[in-house]
Amino acid sequence: MRVLRLSDMALSDIAFVNARLIDAKRDFAGSIEVRGGKIQKVARGAMPADGLKIVDLNGLALMPGFIDLHAHLRIPGQSHKEDFGHGLAAALIGGFTTVCGMANTAPAVDTAQAVAKNNKDANSLNLAGYIQISAIGQSLADRVLVDTKEIGKHTPLFSNDGINIDSSAFLKEALARSREEGFLILFHCEPESESIAKHLQELSECGGRMHFCHISRAQSLEIIQKAKNEGLNVTCETAPHYLYASENSYAVNPPIGTHADRLAVIGAARSGLIDAIATDHAPHTEEDKANGMNGISSFDYAFSLANTVFEENSISKSRLSEMLSACPAKLIGLNKGLLEPGMDADFSIVDFSAEYQINTNDFYSKSKNTPFAGEHVKGRTEMSIIGGNIRHERNRQAL
Ligand code: DOR
Ligand code: ZN
C-alpha cells in the first residue's frame, strides 16, 4: 500500500534540484527556485540555493502542475458518487493541481452564489485547486441564459456539459455574451460531428470563444481543422480514454471510437489540432453503472494513460506538458502552466521510468468505474506541489 501524505507544510521558499525540467518550451536537466509561492529562477544544472529548503529529485521530471479543464465532482447533490475531499485528493495524486468542475450536478450550478460556494468549499480543503464551471443555461437547458455578468465574477468558464445545445437562438445569444464579456464556453456536442459543424457555423456568424469537449471522432477533427484553417476562435480537448482505447463498448459519452478514430485523435494530439487533454473524470457508483450511466473515473491514472500513448507514438514530453498545462492555463487565463519566473509554483513530479498496473483498490476517488483496471501503463505522478507547498507525495522517502 502506498504511503499517502496530504500535507500543507509551509515550505514555499524551496529549491527543487537535480530534476528533468519539462514544459511546453523546454526539456533539460536543471533546478528551480521558488520564493513566496512563485517561480523565482529556472536554471540548467545545479544552482546555489542559499537559505532555501532543498528537495533533491534524483532525476525525476518536474513539470508544471496539470490543469484539468473538465471533470465531474458531483457537488451538490451526488456525494455518493464523489465529493471534493475524495475527488480533489485523487486529482492531486494524479498530478492535477487545478481542476475545473462541470455544472451537471443536482441541482445544476447555475447561479453566482452556487459557483462561489463550491469554489470556497473546494479550495478550503487545500487539495487540488478548484474552479467551478457554471452552467450556461438555467438548469442546463438551452432556453434561458444564466446571469453571466454576475457569475463571471467567480468563474471564466461556462458549459452545459452532458446536454447538447440545440437551440440556435440560445447559442447565438450565448456566443454574443462570450464575445462581449470574454468568457469561454465549453461544448459537449451530440451527435458529435454534426453538432460541431452546426456550432462552428454559428461561431463564424457571432464570434465568441468556443471550446469543444472530449473530441473522439476523426470526422470531428476534420471539421475542426477546417475551422481553425479559416481562423475561427475555436479550441478543443480530448480525454485520455480516446487516446488510449478503441472498439470498446464501456458506457461513456461520447462512446469510445473505432481504431481509425483513435489514430486520428493521436495524430491531432501530435499536430496541435487538439489543444488540451482533460480527464472527463466522471465517477459513478457500481449501481449507477449497472443502470447504464455513462462515464469513467480517471483522476488517479489519467496522466499515465495519456503518457503511455505519447511514449508508444514518440510524441514529445513537451507536447504532453503543453496539452496538460500550458494550453489549459491559457484558456482559463491563469498565471500557471510554464516553468518561467513569476509563474505560480504548481508542479507535478513524475517518474517516467515507473510502470504499473492500474488497480481500482488504489483509487482515492469514491468511484472505481473504469474499463482500464489491469492495464499496464507507463509514467507515474510521484508528488504534487501547489504554490511551492508539497501537497502530496507518494513516497515519503523521496524527501
Ligand atoms: O460519460 C459522460 N459522463 N459524459 C458526459 O457528458 C457526462 C458525464 C457524467 O456526468 O457522468
Ligand atoms: Zn461531456
Side-chain angles (χ1 to χ4, degrees):
M1 186 61 191
R2 106 189 135 233
V3 176
L4 171 69
R5 189 175 77 197
L6 296 170
S7 70
D8 196 19
M9 296 185 298
L11 283 180
S12 62
D13 289 354
I14 190 166
F16 296 92
V17 303
N18 200 7
R20 177 179 170 191
L21 303 179
I22 301 172
D23 73 3
K25 300 183 184 173
R26 42 186 75 72
D27 184 348
F28 55 73
S31 317
I32 197 159
E33 183 182 311
V34 174
R35 288 185 195 264
K38 307 277 180 203
I39 299 172
Q40 180 85 11
K41 242 187 258 170
V42 181
R44 284 179 191 269
M47 70 161 116
D50 33 306
L52 293 173
K53 161 91 187 169
I54 294 188
V55 177
D56 186 338
L57 290 176
N58 294 312
L60 294 178
L62 181 150
M63 303 173 78
F66 311 145
I67 299 170
D68 188 4
L69 276 171
H70 185 150
H72 299 271
L73 277 295
R74 307 298 190 207
I75 301 296
Q78 296 172 316
S79 58
H80 56 292
K81 295 176 193 258
E82 193 67 290
D83 57 26
F84 291 135
H86 287 81
L88 296 176
L92 203 56
I93 291 165
F96 293 90
T97 48
T98 304
V99 168
C100 304
M102 280 294 175
N104 63 336
T105 49
V109 180
D110 61 2
T111 64
Q113 199 188 12
V115 171
K117 177 171 169 35
N118 266 8
N119 282 338
K120 183 161 171 275
D121 291 351
N123 286 309
S124 72
L125 298 175
N126 286 332
L127 297 168
Y130 185 74
I131 298 171
Q132 179 63 51
I133 302 169
S134 170
I136 183 71
Q138 286 178 22
S139 306
L140 297 168
D142 54 357
R143 285 191 301 274
V144 184
L145 275 176
V146 298
D147 185 349
T148 52
K149 264 254 163 64
E150 202 48 39
I151 296 173
K153 294 175 186 164
H154 305 280
T155 184
L157 303 173
F158 291 80
S159 179
N160 276 1
D161 182 51
I163 303 179
N164 199 58
I165 295 177
D166 295 318
S167 160
S168 278
F170 177 88
L171 183 61
K172 287 180 177 174
E173 209 186 320
L175 287 172
R177 293 258 193 106
S178 161
R179 193 186 62 228
E180 283 157 25
E181 296 166 26
F183 59 78
L184 184 70
I185 314 179
L186 303 96
F187 290 92
H188 168 119
C189 284
E190 210 174 314
E192 190 178 277
S193 307
E194 291 95 302
S195 175
I196 286 173
K198 184 163 171 275
H199 282 19
L200 285 169
Q201 180 57 37
E202 280 143 343
L203 178 68
S204 72
E205 289 165 25
C206 302
R209 298 178 63 207
M210 183 172 275
H211 175 87
F212 293 121
C213 298
H214 42 56
I215 295 299
S216 67
R217 294 292 184 276
Q219 196 192 349
S220 308
L221 290 165
E222 276 174 37
I223 296 166
I224 295 168
Q225 180 72 74
K226 193 162 158 283
K228 283 193 169 188
N229 292 346
E230 287 166 6
L232 290 187
N233 191 4
V234 59
T235 52
C236 66
E237 78 201 24
T238 192
H241 37 280
Y242 305 115
L243 285 160
Y244 187 87
S246 57
E247 319 285 355
N248 184 318
S249 61
Y250 192 82
V252 60
N253 198 9
I256 289 169
T258 64
H259 185 58
D261 288 323
R262 175 174 178 246
L263 292 181
V265 170
I266 294 170
R270 185 199 303 278
S271 74
L273 171 56
I274 298 180
D275 301 271
I277 295 171
T279 65
D280 198 5
H281 173 73
H284 292 291
T285 62
E286 269 179 46
E287 198 187 345
D288 299 325
K289 287 305 284 186
N291 290 328
M293 298 295 283
N294 291 310
I296 296 176
S297 176
S298 64
F299 273 151
D300 287 85
Y301 62 87
F303 167 80
S304 305
L305 220 54
N307 179 60
T308 301
V309 174
F310 275 53
E311 289 207 357
E312 285 170 359
N313 290 274
S314 304
I315 308 176
S316 75
K317 303 290 185 222
S318 282
R319 178 73 194 125
L320 182 62
S321 178
E322 184 169 35
M323 295 185 82
L324 286 168
S325 302
C327 168
K330 200 167 161 208
L331 285 176
I332 304 168
L334 301 173
N335 182 40
K336 301 177 189 291
L338 289 169
L339 303 179
E340 291 181 351
M343 289 246 168
D344 295 348
D346 294 0
F347 308 130
S348 292
I349 308 300
V350 174
D351 182 354
F352 280 110
S353 70
E355 300 190 9
Y356 69 101
Q357 242 181 341
I358 295 173
N359 182 344
T360 54
N361 293 329
D362 292 341
F363 287 14
Y364 210 83
S365 168
K366 266 197 173 180
S367 292
K368 323 289 177 198
N369 50 302
T370 178
F372 301 120
E375 291 296 303
H376 186 95
V377 289
K378 297 176 181 173
R380 192 171 57 183
T381 49
E382 295 296 330
M383 211 188 274
S384 296
I385 295 150
I386 299 185
N389 290 314
I390 298 171
R391 292 267 178 98
H392 166 254
E393 53 174 304
R394 198 177 290 277
N395 177 1
R396 276 172 199 271
Q397 310 313 315
L399 267 188

PDB file of all heavy atoms in Angstrom, residues 251-273:
ATOM      1  N   ALA A 251     -19.583   1.986 -21.153  1.00  0.00           N
ATOM      2  CA  ALA A 251     -20.511   3.115 -21.263  1.00  0.00           C
ATOM      3  C   ALA A 251     -19.846   4.437 -20.894  1.00  0.00           C
ATOM      4  O   ALA A 251     -19.517   4.686 -19.725  1.00  0.00           O
ATOM      5  CB  ALA A 251     -21.725   2.879 -20.365  1.00  0.00           C
ATOM      6  N   VAL A 252     -19.614   5.257 -21.902  1.00  0.00           N
ATOM      7  CA  VAL A 252     -19.069   6.601 -21.701  1.00  0.00           C
ATOM      8  C   VAL A 252     -19.586   7.452 -22.845  1.00  0.00           C
ATOM      9  O   VAL A 252     -19.843   6.946 -23.934  1.00  0.00           O
ATOM     10  CB  VAL A 252     -17.516   6.576 -21.640  1.00  0.00           C
ATOM     11  CG1 VAL A 252     -16.914   6.025 -22.923  1.00  0.00           C
ATOM     12  CG2 VAL A 252     -16.945   7.947 -21.328  1.00  0.00           C
ATOM     13  N   ASN A 253     -19.757   8.728 -22.577  1.00  0.00           N
ATOM     14  CA  ASN A 253     -20.336   9.615 -23.572  1.00  0.00           C
ATOM     15  C   ASN A 253     -19.387  10.780 -23.850  1.00  0.00           C
ATOM     16  O   ASN A 253     -19.095  11.538 -22.944  1.00  0.00           O
ATOM     17  CB  ASN A 253     -21.672  10.150 -23.040  1.00  0.00           C
ATOM     18  CG  ASN A 253     -22.532  10.699 -24.147  1.00  0.00           C
ATOM     19  OD1 ASN A 253     -22.218  10.533 -25.318  1.00  0.00           O
ATOM     20  ND2 ASN A 253     -23.591  11.379 -23.775  1.00  0.00           N
ATOM     21  N   PRO A 254     -18.886  10.987 -25.086  1.00  0.00           N
ATOM     22  CA  PRO A 254     -19.136  10.148 -26.260  1.00  0.00           C
ATOM     23  C   PRO A 254     -18.526   8.758 -26.114  1.00  0.00           C
ATOM     24  O   PRO A 254     -17.556   8.586 -25.386  1.00  0.00           O
ATOM     25  CB  PRO A 254     -18.448  10.925 -27.394  1.00  0.00           C
ATOM     26  CG  PRO A 254     -17.441  11.786 -26.724  1.00  0.00           C
ATOM     27  CD  PRO A 254     -17.990  12.122 -25.385  1.00  0.00           C
ATOM     28  N   PRO A 255     -19.093   7.791 -26.855  1.00  0.00           N
ATOM     29  CA  PRO A 255     -18.559   6.430 -26.773  1.00  0.00           C
ATOM     30  C   PRO A 255     -17.143   6.370 -27.346  1.00  0.00           C
ATOM     31  O   PRO A 255     -16.769   7.203 -28.176  1.00  0.00           O
ATOM     32  CB  PRO A 255     -19.516   5.623 -27.662  1.00  0.00           C
ATOM     33  CG  PRO A 255     -20.667   6.496 -27.976  1.00  0.00           C
ATOM     34  CD  PRO A 255     -20.230   7.908 -27.783  1.00  0.00           C
ATOM     35  N   ILE A 256     -16.365   5.406 -26.912  1.00  0.00           N
ATOM     36  CA  ILE A 256     -15.021   5.200 -27.449  1.00  0.00           C
ATOM     37  C   ILE A 256     -15.163   4.821 -28.926  1.00  0.00           C
ATOM     38  O   ILE A 256     -16.070   4.078 -29.294  1.00  0.00           O
ATOM     39  CB  ILE A 256     -14.296   4.130 -26.607  1.00  0.00           C
ATOM     40  CG1 ILE A 256     -13.962   4.742 -25.229  1.00  0.00           C
ATOM     41  CG2 ILE A 256     -13.026   3.642 -27.315  1.00  0.00           C
ATOM     42  CD1 ILE A 256     -13.480   3.760 -24.195  1.00  0.00           C
ATOM     43  N   GLY A 257     -14.285   5.365 -29.771  1.00  0.00           N
ATOM     44  CA  GLY A 257     -14.443   5.233 -31.221  1.00  0.00           C
ATOM     45  C   GLY A 257     -13.762   4.011 -31.810  1.00  0.00           C
ATOM     46  O   GLY A 257     -13.362   3.085 -31.095  1.00  0.00           O
ATOM     47  N   THR A 258     -13.647   4.049 -33.123  1.00  0.00           N
ATOM     48  CA  THR A 258     -13.017   2.952 -33.863  1.00  0.00           C
ATOM     49  C   THR A 258     -11.500   3.104 -33.796  1.00  0.00           C
ATOM     50  O   THR A 258     -10.976   4.124 -33.335  1.00  0.00           O
ATOM     51  CB  THR A 258     -13.426   3.001 -35.341  1.00  0.00           C
ATOM     52  OG1 THR A 258     -12.915   4.229 -35.889  1.00  0.00           O
ATOM     53  CG2 THR A 258     -14.938   2.949 -35.512  1.00  0.00           C
ATOM     54  N   HIS A 259     -10.810   2.104 -34.350  1.00  0.00           N
ATOM     55  CA  HIS A 259      -9.355   2.179 -34.440  1.00  0.00           C
ATOM     56  C   HIS A 259      -8.945   3.428 -35.234  1.00  0.00           C
ATOM     57  O   HIS A 259      -8.018   4.151 -34.853  1.00  0.00           O
ATOM     58  CB  HIS A 259      -8.848   0.896 -35.105  1.00  0.00           C
ATOM     59  CG  HIS A 259      -7.371   0.804 -35.139  1.00  0.00           C
ATOM     60  ND1 HIS A 259      -6.590   0.845 -33.988  1.00  0.00           N
ATOM     61  CD2 HIS A 259      -6.501   0.702 -36.185  1.00  0.00           C
ATOM     62  CE1 HIS A 259      -5.317   0.763 -34.329  1.00  0.00           C
ATOM     63  NE2 HIS A 259      -5.232   0.681 -35.646  1.00  0.00           N
ATOM     64  N   ALA A 260      -9.658   3.689 -36.328  1.00  0.00           N
ATOM     65  CA  ALA A 260      -9.333   4.862 -37.166  1.00  0.00           C
ATOM     66  C   ALA A 260      -9.563   6.167 -36.392  1.00  0.00           C
ATOM     67  O   ALA A 260      -8.786   7.124 -36.516  1.00  0.00           O
ATOM     68  CB  ALA A 260     -10.169   4.841 -38.436  1.00  0.00           C
ATOM     69  N   ASP A 261     -10.621   6.214 -35.595  1.00  0.00           N
ATOM     70  CA  ASP A 261     -10.869   7.404 -34.767  1.00  0.00           C
ATOM     71  C   ASP A 261      -9.702   7.623 -33.805  1.00  0.00           C
ATOM     72  O   ASP A 261      -9.204   8.737 -33.637  1.00  0.00           O
ATOM     73  CB  ASP A 261     -12.162   7.239 -33.957  1.00  0.00           C
ATOM     74  CG  ASP A 261     -13.409   7.341 -34.816  1.00  0.00           C
ATOM     75  OD1 ASP A 261     -13.427   8.154 -35.760  1.00  0.00           O
ATOM     76  OD2 ASP A 261     -14.366   6.589 -34.543  1.00  0.00           O
ATOM     77  N   ARG A 262      -9.276   6.540 -33.176  1.00  0.00           N
ATOM     78  CA  ARG A 262      -8.184   6.648 -32.203  1.00  0.00           C
ATOM     79  C   ARG A 262      -6.905   7.167 -32.874  1.00  0.00           C
ATOM     80  O   ARG A 262      -6.239   8.062 -32.342  1.00  0.00           O
ATOM     81  CB  ARG A 262      -7.939   5.289 -31.542  1.00  0.00           C
ATOM     82  CG  ARG A 262      -6.747   5.313 -30.612  1.00  0.00           C
ATOM     83  CD  ARG A 262      -6.569   4.013 -29.844  1.00  0.00           C
ATOM     84  NE  ARG A 262      -5.384   4.124 -29.016  1.00  0.00           N
ATOM     85  CZ  ARG A 262      -4.273   3.406 -29.182  1.00  0.00           C
ATOM     86  NH1 ARG A 262      -4.215   2.474 -30.127  1.00  0.00           N
ATOM     87  NH2 ARG A 262      -3.237   3.594 -28.402  1.00  0.00           N
ATOM     88  N   LEU A 263      -6.604   6.631 -34.037  1.00  0.00           N
ATOM     89  CA  LEU A 263      -5.399   7.096 -34.728  1.00  0.00           C
ATOM     90  C   LEU A 263      -5.512   8.583 -35.075  1.00  0.00           C
ATOM     91  O   LEU A 263      -4.534   9.328 -34.983  1.00  0.00           O
ATOM     92  CB  LEU A 263      -5.154   6.269 -36.003  1.00  0.00           C
ATOM     93  CG  LEU A 263      -4.757   4.811 -35.774  1.00  0.00           C
ATOM     94  CD1 LEU A 263      -4.519   4.108 -37.097  1.00  0.00           C
ATOM     95  CD2 LEU A 263      -3.516   4.716 -34.871  1.00  0.00           C
ATOM     96  N   ALA A 264      -6.710   9.014 -35.454  1.00  0.00           N
ATOM     97  CA  ALA A 264      -6.914  10.432 -35.775  1.00  0.00           C
ATOM     98  C   ALA A 264      -6.741  11.299 -34.526  1.00  0.00           C
ATOM     99  O   ALA A 264      -6.148  12.388 -34.585  1.00  0.00           O
ATOM    100  CB  ALA A 264      -8.301  10.636 -36.377  1.00  0.00           C
ATOM    101  N   VAL A 265      -7.234  10.813 -33.392  1.00  0.00           N
ATOM    102  CA  VAL A 265      -7.093  11.573 -32.134  1.00  0.00           C
ATOM    103  C   VAL A 265      -5.606  11.679 -31.762  1.00  0.00           C
ATOM    104  O   VAL A 265      -5.107  12.758 -31.397  1.00  0.00           O
ATOM    105  CB  VAL A 265      -7.912  10.919 -30.997  1.00  0.00           C
ATOM    106  CG1 VAL A 265      -7.584  11.539 -29.649  1.00  0.00           C
ATOM    107  CG2 VAL A 265      -9.413  11.057 -31.279  1.00  0.00           C
ATOM    108  N   ILE A 266      -4.876  10.584 -31.908  1.00  0.00           N
ATOM    109  CA  ILE A 266      -3.442  10.616 -31.585  1.00  0.00           C
ATOM    110  C   ILE A 266      -2.708  11.575 -32.536  1.00  0.00           C
ATOM    111  O   ILE A 266      -1.882  12.390 -32.104  1.00  0.00           O
ATOM    112  CB  ILE A 266      -2.834   9.189 -31.658  1.00  0.00           C
ATOM    113  CG1 ILE A 266      -3.438   8.312 -30.557  1.00  0.00           C
ATOM    114  CG2 ILE A 266      -1.312   9.241 -31.536  1.00  0.00           C
ATOM    115  CD1 ILE A 266      -3.095   6.829 -30.671  1.00  0.00           C
ATOM    116  N   GLY A 267      -3.045  11.493 -33.818  1.00  0.00           N
ATOM    117  CA  GLY A 267      -2.411  12.386 -34.800  1.00  0.00           C
ATOM    118  C   GLY A 267      -2.691  13.849 -34.494  1.00  0.00           C
ATOM    119  O   GLY A 267      -1.816  14.716 -34.628  1.00  0.00           O
ATOM    120  N   ALA A 268      -3.915  14.135 -34.058  1.00  0.00           N
ATOM    121  CA  ALA A 268      -4.297  15.523 -33.767  1.00  0.00           C
ATOM    122  C   ALA A 268      -3.683  16.010 -32.456  1.00  0.00           C
ATOM    123  O   ALA A 268      -3.458  17.214 -32.281  1.00  0.00           O
ATOM    124  CB  ALA A 268      -5.817  15.639 -33.721  1.00  0.00           C
ATOM    125  N   ALA A 269      -3.402  15.079 -31.546  1.00  0.00           N
ATOM    126  CA  ALA A 269      -2.679  15.465 -30.325  1.00  0.00           C
ATOM    127  C   ALA A 269      -1.248  15.840 -30.715  1.00  0.00           C
ATOM    128  O   ALA A 269      -0.698  16.845 -30.253  1.00  0.00           O
ATOM    129  CB  ALA A 269      -2.673  14.315 -29.317  1.00  0.00           C
ATOM    130  N   ARG A 270      -0.656  15.050 -31.599  1.00  0.00           N
ATOM    131  CA  ARG A 270       0.707  15.322 -32.035  1.00  0.00           C
ATOM    132  C   ARG A 270       0.793  16.666 -32.779  1.00  0.00           C
ATOM    133  O   ARG A 270       1.677  17.477 -32.525  1.00  0.00           O
ATOM    134  CB  ARG A 270       1.187  14.205 -32.965  1.00  0.00           C
ATOM    135  CG  ARG A 270       2.649  14.330 -33.385  1.00  0.00           C
ATOM    136  CD  ARG A 270       2.949  13.502 -34.627  1.00  0.00           C
ATOM    137  NE  ARG A 270       2.628  12.096 -34.484  1.00  0.00           N
ATOM    138  CZ  ARG A 270       3.421  11.183 -33.899  1.00  0.00           C
ATOM    139  NH1 ARG A 270       4.599  11.544 -33.450  1.00  0.00           N
ATOM    140  NH2 ARG A 270       3.029   9.927 -33.805  1.00  0.00           N
ATOM    141  N   SER A 271      -0.150  16.904 -33.681  1.00  0.00           N
ATOM    142  CA  SER A 271      -0.044  18.076 -34.562  1.00  0.00           C
ATOM    143  C   SER A 271      -0.415  19.384 -33.875  1.00  0.00           C
ATOM    144  O   SER A 271      -0.085  20.454 -34.364  1.00  0.00           O
ATOM    145  CB  SER A 271      -0.959  17.897 -35.780  1.00  0.00           C
ATOM    146  OG  SER A 271      -2.315  18.077 -35.392  1.00  0.00           O
ATOM    147  N   GLY A 272      -1.166  19.307 -32.774  1.00  0.00           N
ATOM    148  CA  GLY A 272      -1.621  20.534 -32.118  1.00  0.00           C
ATOM    149  C   GLY A 272      -3.066  20.864 -32.459  1.00  0.00           C
ATOM    150  O   GLY A 272      -3.636  21.811 -31.917  1.00  0.00           O
ATOM    151  N   LEU A 273      -3.658  20.103 -33.356  1.00  0.00           N
ATOM    152  CA  LEU A 273      -5.077  20.342 -33.680  1.00  0.00           C
ATOM    153  C   LEU A 273      -5.937  20.190 -32.424  1.00  0.00           C
ATOM    154  O   LEU A 273      -6.838  20.983 -32.172  1.00  0.00           O
ATOM    155  CB  LEU A 273      -5.520  19.362 -34.778  1.00  0.00           C
ATOM    156  CG  LEU A 273      -7.006  19.321 -35.101  1.00  0.00           C
ATOM    157  CD1 LEU A 273      -7.534  20.695 -35.488  1.00  0.00           C
ATOM    158  CD2 LEU A 273      -7.286  18.320 -36.226  1.00  0.00           C
TER     159      LEU A 273
END
